[in-house]
């Protein structure tokens, strides 16, 4: 292993990540309203083999077993998201107390077993009723979101310390409002730019609400982060890589840290101005307690005349003959080291790797899943996190995506990301070899620090 259990220190937060729509199922139960993902995935032709997450791994009914399993595996931190339409079926107004009850049970059971709950407020499942009113493209969403954040912090704030406002905003605005390949399936530059500005406002506003309601919270938000490199040394490819980098890595974090939108690197963003009102620039900034960095791969970018908005194209991993995961994402462990350095340049109070993981073709043989490639992927990426940490980067946690196999958005159930295998017919869980390895790593680290503490006591 390229690291030792001591490299991370006793306070390092090891964990696993999930998201409501991907795991919960129970899509119409106990008063839950529809979300844009319920509607999108149940519309023909939108997802791999028309798969949806109406049941998925049914965390709604299996939460106790899953959290108990987490505890047996010694996983001390659990990141999950709240389904907005379970709490507020219409997106605003009436609160659904059965929805609150469900998350109360999840939180209380975590705490009972000594597991720290980490809540993501928004992981892509907007209430469908709000989409009917324009969704993220309607500026009113700042008020809708504020109401929802109030409801969550009021219900859970006394027991949950770690909060994340939005998950990967450029993915849900880009894939959902520009490319149309994710819910709600809208296409076009204007809806994307409007959604971008409103999501950026909500991200900071959400942070402010959390902090104003309670002073004892650790508040963050998460970003997809990719290491972007030019395809060749040519000036054109270098500039193309810079533009994609601005879109993928800078668009949301820079306004948050007070730098405004990266218009210089990507002039197209000037068109955001039509949605900006006076005073917005200050409202976009908020000093988060931590920045969540989510990294899976690197991207190689070439200039392209066929993509008129950005004049750049991503050269896919299968065209480059490199090792890939089932998502056709290149396996390139140093990327996580580079993105940690990159996000550290914004001088955050702390960085947490809130997602990292890999999808592979898993097979169950004799009740076991020998997912050696996933184990290797995790080990190599954790080594690179250790490398960054040794160089002084204040990275304080690492969360594997994901605890169990689940619904991978437009890709359906084909890519399995879990440390725990799920049979979606029987709901049986099997801890994969990678899960056993991760569990052992966490346990050994804890034991080493315990021994140290006793020695100096
Ligand atoms: C991230 C998402 C997460 C999951 C992983 C594979 O972009 O946040 O929900 O789908 O990718």
């Amino acid at each position: 292993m390229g690291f030792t259990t001591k490299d991370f220190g006793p306070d390092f937060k090891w964990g696993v990540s999930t998201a409501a729509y991907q795991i919960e199922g129970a899509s119409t139960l106990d008063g839950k309203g529809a979300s844009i993902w319920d509607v999108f995935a149940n519309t023909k032709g939108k997802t791999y083999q028309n798969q949806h997450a109406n049941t998925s791994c049914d965390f709604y009914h299996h939460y106790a077993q899953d959290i108990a399993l987490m505890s047996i595996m010694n996983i001390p931190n659990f990141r999950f998201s709240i389904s907005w339409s379970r709490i507020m079926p219409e997106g605003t107004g009436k609160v659904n107390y059965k929805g609150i009850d469900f998350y109360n049970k999840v939180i209380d059971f975590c705490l009972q077993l000594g597991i720290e709950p980490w809540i993501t407020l928004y992981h892509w499942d907007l209430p469908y009723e709000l989409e009917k009113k324009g969704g993220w493209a309607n500026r009113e969403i700042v008020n809708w979101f504020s109401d929802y954040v109030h409801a969550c912090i009021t219900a859970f704030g006394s027991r949950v310390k770690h909060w994340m406002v939005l998950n990967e905003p450029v993915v849900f605005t880009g894939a959902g409002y520009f490319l149309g390949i994710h819910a709600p399936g809208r296409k076009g530059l204007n809806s994307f730019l409007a959604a971008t500005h409103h999501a950026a406002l909500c991200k900071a506003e959400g942070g402010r609400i959390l902090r104003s309601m309670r002073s004892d919270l650790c508040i963050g938000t998460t970003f997809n982060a990719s290491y972007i490199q030019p395809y060749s040394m040519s000036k054109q490819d270098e500039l193309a890589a810079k533009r994609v980098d601005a879109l993928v890595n800078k668009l949301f974090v820079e306004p948050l840290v007070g730098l405004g939108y990266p218009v210089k690197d990507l002039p197209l963003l000037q068109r955001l101005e039509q949605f900006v009102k006076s005073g917005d620039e200050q409202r976009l900034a908020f000093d988060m307690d931590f920045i969540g960095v989510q990294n899976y791969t690197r991207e190689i970018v070439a200039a392209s005349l066929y993509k008129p908005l950005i004049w750049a194209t991503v050269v896919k991993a299968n065209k480059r003959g490199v090792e890939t995961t089932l998502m056709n994402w290149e396996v390139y462990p140093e990327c996580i080291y580079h993105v940690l350095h990159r996000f550290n340049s914004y001088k955050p109070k702390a960085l947490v790797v809130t997602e990292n993981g890999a999808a592979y073709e898993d097979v169950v043989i004799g009740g076991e899943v020998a997912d050696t490639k996933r184990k290797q992927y995790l080990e190599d990426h954790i080594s690179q996190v250790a490398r960054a940490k040794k160089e002084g980067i204040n990275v304080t946690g690492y969360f594997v995506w994901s605890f169990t196999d689940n619904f991978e958005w437009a890709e359906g159930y084909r890519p399995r990301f879990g440390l725990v295998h799920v049979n979606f017919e029987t709901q049986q869980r099997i801890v994969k070899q990678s899960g056993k390895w991760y569990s052992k790593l966490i346990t050994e680290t804890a034991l080493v620090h315990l021994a140290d503490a006793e020695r100096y006591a």
Side-chain angles (χ1 to χ4, degrees):
M1 273 197 317
F3 60 94
T4 75
T5 41
K6 281 204 178 178
D7 288 341
F8 291 95
D11 299 326
F12 195 76
K13 313 281 187 205
W14 298 100
V16 285
S17 279
T18 63
Y21 186 68
Q22 293 177 277
I23 63 167
E24 284 178 4
S27 62
T28 56
L29 219 64
D30 292 340
K32 179 183 170 296
S35 79
I36 52 173
W37 266 99
D38 289 311
V39 175
F40 186 79
N42 283 284
T43 306
K44 208 164 165 243
K46 300 295 184 191
T47 62
Y48 174 74
Q49 294 184 349
N50 295 317
Q51 291 171 350
H52 51 69
N54 298 1
T55 305
S56 187
C57 35
D58 200 17
F59 180 75
Y60 196 77
H61 296 108
H62 290 75
Y63 75 89
Q65 290 97 312
D66 284 350
I67 295 167
L69 186 55
M70 232 173 262
S71 161
I72 292 168
M73 291 167 75
N74 264 343
I75 295 170
N77 295 283
F78 175 31
R79 172 180 175 232
F80 58 92
S81 77
I82 306 269
S83 154
W84 185 343
S85 63
R86 211 181 272 293
I87 301 288
M88 291 178 155
E90 274 134 51
T92 51
K94 214 174 86 239
V95 170
N96 173 31
Y97 287 96
K98 287 194 175 161
I100 301 265
D101 264 5
F102 168 64
Y103 294 108
N104 274 338
K105 287 189 282 187
V106 170
I107 292 164
D108 289 344
F109 198 47
C110 280
L111 295 174
Q112 197 183 321
L113 297 184
I115 295 173
E116 192 69 38
W118 292 52
I119 286 183
T120 312
L121 284 161
Y122 185 77
H123 201 128
W124 305 358
D125 47 353
L126 186 74
Y128 185 60
E129 288 304 314
L130 297 182
E131 177 56 25
K132 285 193 198 156
K133 298 179 190 163
W136 285 100
N138 183 343
R139 191 177 168 109
E140 266 299 296
I141 196 153
V142 182
N143 296 326
W144 304 332
F145 187 65
S146 301
D147 286 353
Y148 165 63
V149 177
H150 269 109
C152 290
I153 188 75
T154 306
F156 314 125
S158 63
R159 286 160 297 151
V160 178
K161 188 156 189 278
H162 294 91
W163 294 76
M164 285 145 286
V165 182
L166 298 183
N167 182 69
E168 298 190 351
V170 77
V171 178
F172 73 77
T173 55
Y177 285 78
F178 179 69
L179 297 171
I181 54 171
H182 275 192
R186 283 161 71 174
K187 287 186 186 153
L189 186 60
N190 267 356
S191 61
F192 164 67
L193 292 174
T196 295
H197 185 55
H198 304 144
L201 285 170
C202 284
K203 178 164 43 86
E205 194 59 26
R208 273 188 291 274
I209 295 171
L210 293 173
R211 191 164 289 157
S212 72
M213 301 271 293
R214 295 193 69 94
S215 56
D216 58 345
L217 304 179
C218 189
I219 305 163
T221 194
T222 79
F223 298 100
N224 50 290
S226 201
Y227 182 44
I228 312 260
Q229 289 182 294
Y231 184 63
S232 77
M233 306 279 272
S234 76
K235 195 81 205 143
Q236 289 93 322
D237 283 357
E238 273 178 16
L239 288 172
K242 235 177 156 190
R243 288 191 293 276
V244 171
D245 184 54
L247 183 67
V248 171
N249 290 320
K250 296 182 171 182
L251 177 57
F252 280 92
V253 70
E254 297 212 337
L256 182 72
V257 299
L259 297 172
Y261 291 116
V263 175
K264 255 214 245 124
D265 293 327
L266 185 57
L268 163 75
L269 298 176
Q270 267 158 5
R271 300 196 211 173
L272 276 165
E273 255 170 39
Q274 56 187 307
F275 304 104
V276 177
K277 296 203 170 153
S278 105
D280 277 4
E281 204 161 312
Q282 292 72 33
R283 295 180 70 195
L284 288 169
F286 179 73
D287 64 322
M288 294 284 172
D289 297 312
F290 70 95
I291 293 287
V293 172
Q294 315 200 146
N295 172 257
Y296 292 86
T297 189
R298 72 165 168 173
E299 304 293 357
I300 302 294
V301 169
S304 166
L305 293 174
Y306 301 104
K307 301 270 172 80
L309 285 173
I310 192 158
W311 308 109
T313 189
V314 168
V315 185
K316 296 271 189 232
N318 54 353
K319 300 247 166 72
R320 294 187 275 117
V322 290
E323 188 191 340
T324 60
T325 67
L326 206 65
M327 299 289 281
N328 190 21
W329 293 346
E330 180 183 2
V331 178
Y332 188 78
E334 293 98 284
C335 60
I336 201 163
Y337 165 83
H338 291 294
V339 300
L340 284 169
H341 266 283
R342 172 62 181 286
F343 275 74
N344 194 54
S345 69
Y346 297 116
K347 303 197 173 31
K349 290 181 200 161
L351 293 172
V352 177
V353 176
T354 37
E355 285 183 23
N356 175 239
Y360 286 108
E361 205 109 40
D362 295 325
V363 276
V364 182
I365 300 174
E368 300 270 331
V369 180
D371 59 335
T372 44
K373 283 192 184 160
R374 181 176 294 103
K375 183 223 144 215
Q376 197 57 51
Y377 178 101
L378 296 176
E379 187 177 323
D380 293 345
H381 284 73
I382 292 171
S383 292
Q384 294 292 330
V385 176
R387 179 177 163 210
K389 197 165 167 59
K390 272 188 235 157
E391 290 173 10
I393 305 272
N394 187 23
V395 48
T396 57
Y398 173 92
F399 288 63
V400 174
W401 182 271
S402 183
F403 182 55
T404 54
D405 293 335
N406 58 49
F407 178 77
E408 180 48 37
W409 309 111
E411 307 291 329
Y413 295 99
R414 199 177 65 98
R416 289 176 177 269
F417 273 93
L419 293 173
V420 175
H421 183 274
V422 175
N423 177 328
F424 293 103
E425 316 264 280
T426 62
Q427 295 299 343
Q428 197 201 357
R429 273 61 168 156
I430 297 173
V431 181
K432 301 179 194 175
Q433 238 173 49
S434 61
K436 293 180 187 166
W437 173 82
Y438 191 53
S439 160
K440 193 161 160 255
L441 170 72
I442 295 172
T443 311
E444 279 174 2
T445 309
L447 287 174
V448 166
H449 293 304
L450 188 70
D452 274 359
E454 275 167 4
R455 197 167 313 133
Y456 296 112

